Amino acid sequence: MGRCEFEILRAGSAVESSEADRAAVLDAESMILPVAEPGSGPFRGREMRWTRTPGDEGQRMILDLGSGADD
């Protein structure tokens, strides 16, 4: 995922995630599939979905960063 997709996913949020957020995401085996921007890439036309909805903004940021954006 590129920086543009990361910005779309974070939607302006500046939330800091915690170690507890990281553990919750890993325990739930959460992922974002297949892309945030449906108009580009190999999955063109497909909508993004979460395999498991994040419990809070901290967990959401972990998922966004884990999807390939630079930390």
Side-chain angles (χ1 to χ4, degrees):
M1 170 177 31
R3 178 62 61 191
C4 182
E5 286 193 320
F6 174 70
E7 293 299 329
I8 290 169
L9 290 168
R10 78 178 193 105
S13 177
V15 170
E16 297 277 333
S17 40
S18 67
E19 288 302 318
D21 292 325
R22 292 175 199 277
V25 167
L26 290 172
D27 288 345
E29 298 180 357
S30 299
M31 293 184 284
I32 298 170
L33 299 173
V35 295
E37 175 50 57
S40 66
F43 300 104
R44 198 170 289 205
R46 298 195 53 200
E47 288 189 36
M48 182 195 88
R49 68 180 177 86
W50 305 92
T51 57
R52 299 215 166 125
T53 305
D56 61 26
E57 285 299 305
Q59 291 176 23
R60 181 183 171 125
M61 291 304 271
I62 294 293
L63 286 165
D64 293 349
L65 288 171
S67 296
D70 295 333
D71 290 342

